[in-house]
């Protein structure tokens, strides 16, 4: 079908190069007569799907949003008092509108290029400082995925840091049930023991203990004094993790002050909607000495080339390369956008505001307890912050039903007990309604906020000016704008990152995520209240199964890294079900994403690296040798298709067949699915399982490094091992991957809408356009920066690798120099030095129009001219506009300009920049200094004085 025949205008807005004249220009540059011919040459015929995608026809934006409204209306909104780690909250409108719904924030990429990421890095540093202050520990990371996975990360970290003590991990029985279930699953894969014990007795179990996990407050609602237990654990050589509620810690002695080594938890109740379970930003903070073992991203303070303080991701090489087969944690696990929301919530309310919110919650909870006591109803927990476990012998179902009839959801514990959790949105009327549901009366006995005397917090927190300045909406609005202006995101420029697919996140796709019918639903709400959510999720899973050629899909994994882990755990479960426990070897090509190796280690597998041939394909001799060596122990191979080198390997079926013949399973990393949708299905050309990246191919925005969704898709024989439900372990399935059944459900309407807006033909046309754009870039730039790998007919897939190594050897100009000089042209850099050091990987995607692609090409050609000027001796590389890039406004207007090139050349290398020029707030940042002198909290405001 020709582009003009596809029956919706949305496709024309999603695909940038849609005009026939533009397509003709691109084809002429490539040397192909048509897009059909390009696709037929580039994509091996042996993997091509034989029939079009069987998806519903494309619909308009109005029709799609109308259908979403109808689905949303099938959900029942209620007052959510279920708790269990998920609470309703008030997202200040200024934050919802300008951050959560603000394209400057949600279209940003992970801040690997820190000079153009100072705004989001400052917001994340605020997040780290907030966490450090509230938990009483000196170093926090910039977010994890959810509380349950954060506890699992902490348990693994304790084992890594406490090698002298290899005993079991003990978790308190009063921890959140979904956390216990998830930790057991992770421990089983890694082969360590987890014991669940009632630690309210203050006595640790017998035997060697590596680490203990405590909850504050407990799932029962009890506020625990952990000091003596922590001291005993330390005496026995164990490390201690406390999963803590940050709002509660404004009133309660923090874990760090009681001696804990690690604190983890969720920041969801700091302004992040329930979202039916996610996305939410978890946190982790550690004592001094553990920071270099900590998973996740860490924002640190360094300085730029003018000596100004500047933010960056600290210890960044571990982020880029994930320690490969030595990995013990998967670092690509972050929820940056949600962490930013939580940080602005703390900035907006400040220490006194957060304390007032906490005291209000506590007072309402204690009022409910006093009122129940006056009516002769007992609460199990003697102390409480927000949660009560209430004894209603034989009446739990009746109480739950009465509360629901009043529009309130309570927590079902068992036939004799119900749980009630108060939150920021709870009113006096809600308290009266709960009383009436339990006692038949609504006689309220008021009680003030109070915590046990020995646990009253006395230390200060959030003393930095950033948490004590922005009290009016005007102030906060301008602060949000000021930070976003320091960044480059997709709303301002093409982000040509290879392997990361930075494409359009259409406003119509984004619109539904903040509707209350989606955003205010608790993940543990009764199923009859979530019909709309489950219809949307089921439809999305079916669509993804059709696109990939697999039989089943689970959207539970809430990051691509978690999808990898889920797929590998399914393979592991399958082998174990057949009595093949010895199959633990995972073959991974040397060119694979670093996350692959990390996921394999977390799944209890042993990584064996397969060499790469000279042309970038898998080295078949080495592959066959490794298969033969490990035939009896072979579990799986992990391959990325198209390959990480940006080409369609014609031998992928042979690779799959060889692994299958040895009894192994084939995992196909779906990171590059943007080159396959509508053309080929991994489940049909040899894959047993794949993870997909909804935040890449299917339009969920990156949000500065999360939210992400990494569904796992697999064939029927692996279906019994799909992720189970941590909230209901008895329901079967494999190990749970996330704390909630549907992971980051809140952003799924984005991908659902994308499929409806595009339809099968539109999705296929998007793939064809992505191939066209990438090959156009490769063809135009090859004479300036040779394309490292090509496939059939000299073509690439959806991305290409530009090789700068010869130029670097000749001139000293590095790929990093080119990346920084691109900032002066208003571009985010391509992917730097991955998968090959000294290269740039470019992916234009289908969303960019020809004019923007040409603007990037022009910038690269001009930069090649500057490299040639270095080669010709016009200036030394150290004093070239490349090495001195990026150029800040302050450097350009300073009186001491002594560089051997003009200010005009530095600032306006092309004429169009004179009107719309982005000036980075800092110059090139000294990363090594930041790693040597690790500072990961808000520096004093005086540090920024000139």
């Amino acid at each position: 079908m020709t582009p003009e025949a596809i029956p919706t205008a949305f496709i024309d807005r999603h695909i940038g190069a849609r005009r026939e004249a533009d397509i003709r220009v691109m084809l002429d540059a490539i040397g192909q007569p048509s897009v059909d011919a390009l696709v037929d040459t580039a994509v091996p015929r042996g993997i091509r799907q034989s029939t079009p995608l069987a998806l519903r026809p494309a619909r308009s934006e109005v029709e799609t949003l109308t259908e979403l409204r109808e689905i949303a209306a099938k959900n029942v909104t209620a007052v959510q008092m279920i708790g269990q780690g998920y609470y309703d909250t008030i997202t200040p409108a200024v934050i919802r509108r300008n951050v959560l719904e603000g394209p400057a924030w949600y279209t940003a990429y992970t801040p690997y290029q820190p000079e153009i990421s100072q705004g989001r890095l400052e917001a994340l540093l605020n997040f780290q400082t907030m966490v450090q202050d509230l938990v009483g520990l000196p170093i926090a990371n910039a977010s994890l995925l959810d509380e349950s996975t954060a506890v699992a990360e902490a348990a693994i970290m304790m084992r890594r840091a406490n090698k002298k003590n290899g005993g079991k991990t003990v978790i308190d029985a009063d921890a959140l049930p979904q956390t216990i279930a998830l930790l057991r699953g992770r421990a089983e894969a890694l082969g360590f023991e987890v014991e669940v014990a009632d630690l309210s007795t203050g006595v640790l179990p017998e035997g060697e203990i590596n680490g203990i996990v405590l909850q504050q407050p407990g799932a029962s609602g009890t506020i625990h004094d952990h000091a003596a237990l922590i001291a005993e654990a330390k005496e026995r050589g164990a490390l201690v993790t406390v999963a803590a509620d940050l709002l509660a810690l404004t009133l309660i002695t923090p874990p760090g002050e009681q001696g804990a080594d690690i604190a983890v938890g969720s920041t969801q109740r700091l302004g992040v909607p329930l979202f039916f379970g996610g996305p939410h930003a978890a946190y982790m903070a550690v004592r001094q000495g553990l920071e270099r073992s900590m998973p996740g991203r860490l924002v640190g303070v360094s300085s730029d080339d003018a000596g100004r303080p500047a933010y960056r991701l600290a210890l960044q090489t571990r982020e880029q390369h994930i320690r490969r087969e030595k990995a013990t944690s998967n670092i690509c696990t972050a929820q940056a956008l949600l962490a930013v929301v939580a940080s602005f919530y703390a900035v907006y309310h400040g220490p006194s505001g957060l304390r007032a919110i906490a005291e209000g919650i506590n007072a309402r909870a204690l009022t409910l307890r006093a009122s129940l006591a006056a009516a002769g109803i007992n609460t199990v927990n003697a102390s409480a912050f927000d949660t009560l476990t209430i004894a209603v012998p034989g009446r739990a179902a009746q109480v739950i039903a009465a509360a629901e009839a009043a529009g309130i959801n309570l927590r079902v514990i068992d036939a004799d007990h119900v749980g009630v959790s108060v939150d920021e949105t709870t009113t006096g009327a809600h308290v009266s309604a709960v009383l009436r549901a339990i006692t038949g009366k609504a006689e309220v006995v008021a009680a003030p906020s109070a915590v046990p005397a020995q646990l009253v917090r006395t230390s200060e927190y959030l003393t930095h000016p950033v948490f004590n300045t922005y009290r009016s909406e005007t102030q906060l609005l301008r602060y949000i704008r000021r930070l976003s202006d320091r960044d480059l995101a997709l709303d301002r420029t093409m982000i040509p990152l290879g392997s990361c697919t930075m494409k359009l996140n259409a406003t119509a796709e984004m619109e539904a995520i903040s509707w209350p019918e989606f955003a205010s639903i608790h993940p543990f709400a009764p199923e009859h209240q979530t019909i709309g959510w489950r219809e949307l999720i089921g439809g999305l899973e079916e669509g993804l199964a059709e696109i990939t050629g697999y039989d089943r899909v689970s959207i539970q994994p809430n990051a691509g890294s978690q999808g990898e882990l889920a797929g590998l755990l399914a393979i592991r479960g399958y082998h174990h079900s057949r009595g093949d426990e010895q199959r633990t070897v995972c073959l991974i090509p040397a060119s694979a994403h670093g996350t692959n190796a990390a996921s394999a280690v977390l799944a209890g597998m042993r990584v064996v690296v397969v060499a790469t041939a000279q042309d970038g394909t898998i080295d078949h001799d080495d592959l066959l040798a490794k298969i033969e060596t490990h035939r009896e122990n072979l579990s799986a191979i992990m391959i990325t298709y198209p390959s990480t080198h940006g080409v369609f390997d014609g031998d992928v079926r042979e690779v799959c067949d060889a692994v299958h013949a040895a009894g192994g399973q084939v995992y196909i990393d779906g990171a590059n699915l943007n080159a396959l949708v509508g053309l080929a299905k991994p489940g049909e050309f040899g894959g047993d399982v794949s993870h997909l990246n909804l935040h890449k191919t299917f339009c969920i925005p990156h949000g500065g490094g999360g939210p992400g969704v990494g569904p796992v898709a697999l064939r029927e024989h692996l279906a019994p091992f799909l992720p189970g439900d941590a909230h209901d372990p008895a329901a079967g399935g494999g190990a749970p991957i996330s704390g909630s059944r549907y992971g980051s459900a809140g952003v799924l309407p984005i991908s659902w809408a994308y499929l409806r807006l595009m339809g099968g033909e539109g999705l296929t046309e998007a793939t064809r356009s992505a191939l066209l754009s990438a090959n156009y870039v490769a063809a135009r730039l090859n004479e300036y920066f040779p394309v490292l790998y090509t496939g059939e007919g000299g073509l690439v897939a959806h991305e290409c690798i530009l090789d700068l190594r010869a130029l670097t050897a000749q001139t000293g100009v590095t790929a990093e120099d080119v990346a920084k000089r691109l900032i002066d042209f208003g571009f985010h850099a391509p992917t730097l030095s991955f998968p090959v050091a000294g290269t740039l990987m470019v992916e234009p995607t289908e969303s960019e129009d020809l004019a923007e692609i040409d603007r990037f090409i022009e910038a690269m050609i001009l930069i090649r001219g500057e490299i040639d000027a270095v080669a010709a001796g016009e200036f030394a590389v150290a004093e070239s506009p490349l090495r001195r890039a990026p150029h800040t406004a302050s450097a350009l207007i300073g009186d001491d300009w002594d560089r051997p090139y003009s200010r005009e050349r530095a600032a306006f290398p092309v004429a169009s920049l004179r009107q719309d020029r982005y000036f980075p707030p800092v110059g090139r940042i000294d990363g090594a200094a930041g790693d040597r002198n690790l500072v990961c909290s808000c520096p004093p405001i005086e540090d920024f004085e000139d």
Side-chain angles (χ1 to χ4, degrees), residues 98-168:
N98 297 290
V99 180
L100 189 64
E101 299 173 354
W105 293 95
Y106 68 68
T107 69
Y109 182 60
T110 304
Y112 292 141
Q113 295 292 329
E115 294 85 358
I116 56 174
S117 308
Q118 291 297 292
R120 76 197 83 135
L121 285 166
E122 179 168 326
L124 291 172
L125 196 72
N126 293 343
F127 175 87
Q128 291 178 180
T129 304
M130 170 192 76
V131 170
Q132 291 162 197
D133 282 8
L134 290 174
V135 303
L137 287 166
I139 300 177
N141 68 14
S143 76
L144 292 173
L145 296 174
D146 67 6
E147 179 165 337
S148 297
T149 56
V151 168
E153 291 277 11
I156 296 167
M157 181 181 168
M158 288 192 294
R159 302 194 70 77
R160 185 163 67 245
N162 195 13
K163 293 177 181 176
K164 292 185 294 186
N165 195 340
K168 60 193 171 186

Side-chain angles (χ1 to χ4, degrees), residues 617-742:
T617 63
I618 292 174
D619 184 322
H620 273 258
D621 290 340
D622 191 54
L623 171 67
L624 294 175
K626 297 284 173 61
I627 289 175
E628 190 57 37
T629 299
H630 302 287
R631 179 172 291 272
E632 298 305 313
N633 300 317
L634 181 60
S635 176
I637 188 171
M638 296 184 80
I639 59 176
T640 300
Y641 201 81
S643 77
T644 310
H645 291 141
V647 295
F648 292 98
D649 295 337
D651 58 1
V652 64
R653 282 189 181 272
E654 289 81 354
V655 171
C656 296
D657 290 344
V659 172
H660 284 145
Q665 296 286 285
V666 175
Y667 176 101
I668 296 179
D669 186 314
N672 292 341
L673 201 69
N674 207 46
L676 294 179
V677 175
L679 302 179
K681 299 181 177 183
E684 292 183 352
F685 63 71
D688 296 292
V689 59
S690 292
H691 91 273
L692 321 177
N693 289 48
L694 298 193
H695 51 288
K696 293 186 180 181
T697 303
F698 297 98
C699 292
I700 290 175
H702 285 64
V709 180
V712 59
L714 41 69
R715 294 172 60 202
E716 195 61 46
H717 67 281
L718 297 178
F721 312 103
L722 281 167
D725 184 355
H727 182 58
D728 184 14
I737 294 297
S738 302
S740 61
R741 179 180 175 186
Y742 299 113

Side-chain angles (χ1 to χ4, degrees), residues 12-367:
D12 293 328
R13 289 192 284 276
H14 177 80
I15 299 175
R18 287 279 288 162
R19 294 185 305 164
E20 283 294 344
D22 292 342
I23 293 172
R24 187 73 263 155
V25 166
M26 298 168 82
L27 288 170
D28 289 346
I30 298 166
Q32 290 287 329
S34 66
V35 178
D36 286 338
L38 168 66
V39 171
D40 287 343
T41 304
V43 186
R45 290 190 178 276
I47 69 165
R48 295 285 295 275
Q49 63 191 62
S50 57
T51 57
L53 291 174
L55 299 175
R56 294 163 65 188
R59 305 194 76 178
S60 70
E61 294 179 36
V62 172
E63 290 171 322
T64 298
L65 289 171
T66 298
E67 188 174 353
L68 271 172
R69 283 287 185 194
E70 292 169 354
I71 293 173
K74 297 176 184 178
N75 294 325
V76 177
T77 58
V79 176
Q80 308 291 359
M81 301 184 75
I82 298 170
Q84 202 170 337
Y86 302 94
Y87 304 89
D88 211 348
T89 183
I90 298 170
T91 308
V94 63
I95 298 174
R96 187 195 71 242
R97 179 70 177 271
N98 297 290
V99 180
L100 189 64
E101 299 173 354
W105 293 95
Y106 68 68
T107 69
Y109 182 60
T110 304
Y112 292 141
Q113 295 292 329
E115 294 85 358
I116 56 174
S117 308
Q118 291 297 292
R120 76 197 83 135
L121 285 166
E122 179 168 326
L124 291 172
L125 196 72
N126 293 343
F127 175 87
Q128 291 178 180
T129 304
M130 170 192 76
V131 170
Q132 291 162 197
D133 282 8
L134 290 174
V135 303
L137 287 166
I139 300 177
N141 68 14
S143 76
L144 292 173
L145 296 174
D146 67 6
E147 179 165 337
S148 297
T149 56
V151 168
E153 291 277 11
I156 296 167
M157 181 181 168
M158 288 192 294
R159 302 194 70 77
R160 185 163 67 245
N162 195 13
K163 293 177 181 176
K164 292 185 294 186
N165 195 340
K168 60 193 171 186
T169 298
V170 177
I171 184 168
D172 189 9
D174 204 19
L176 297 174
Q178 68 268 24
T179 295
I180 294 172
L182 192 139
L183 178 58
R184 279 174 161 161
R186 296 289 171 92
E188 196 276 331
L190 289 171
F192 66 87
E193 180 186 357
V194 170
E195 179 177 340
V196 181
D198 179 4
L199 299 182
S200 65
T201 61
V203 179
L204 286 170
E206 296 296 321
E208 192 175 20
I209 298 174
N210 174 273
I212 67 171
V213 179
L214 306 168
Q215 189 91 37
Q216 181 73 296
S220 65
T222 301
I223 300 174
H224 297 283
D225 186 350
H226 289 136
L229 195 66
I230 291 172
E232 182 188 349
K234 294 294 187 66
E235 288 176 8
R236 291 176 57 176
L239 296 179
V240 179
T241 295
V242 177
D245 183 314
L246 291 185
L247 262 186
L249 296 184
T250 63
L251 308 179
I252 298 169
T253 302
E257 293 180 18
Q258 291 201 319
D261 301 288
I262 304 168
V264 295
S266 173
T267 63
Q268 178 267 313
R269 71 187 313 171
L270 302 183
V272 180
L274 283 162
F275 280 144
F276 200 39
H280 302 142
Y283 72 84
M284 176 182 283
V286 300
R287 64 164 167 79
Q288 206 78 40
L290 293 177
E291 61 273 14
R292 293 176 188 269
S293 299
M294 185 166 51
R297 295 164 181 154
L298 191 66
V299 178
V301 183
S302 186
S303 60
D304 74 353
D305 53 10
R308 286 174 297 234
Y311 309 121
R312 60 181 287 275
L313 290 180
L315 310 176
Q316 194 168 356
T317 30
R318 81 176 177 171
E319 172 74 40
Q320 293 280 33
H321 302 294
I322 329 286
R323 302 181 64 234
R324 298 190 61 80
E325 62 270 21
K326 295 184 176 65
T328 48
S329 176
N330 198 323
I331 247 157
C332 287
T333 52
Q335 298 282 24
L337 180 66
L338 298 314
V340 168
V341 169
S343 77
F344 278 125
Y345 181 93
V347 167
Y348 191 46
H349 289 292
S352 58
L354 291 185
R355 184 179 183 91
I357 292 169
E359 288 175 339
I361 290 170
N362 187 226
R364 285 186 287 278
L366 298 186
T367 291

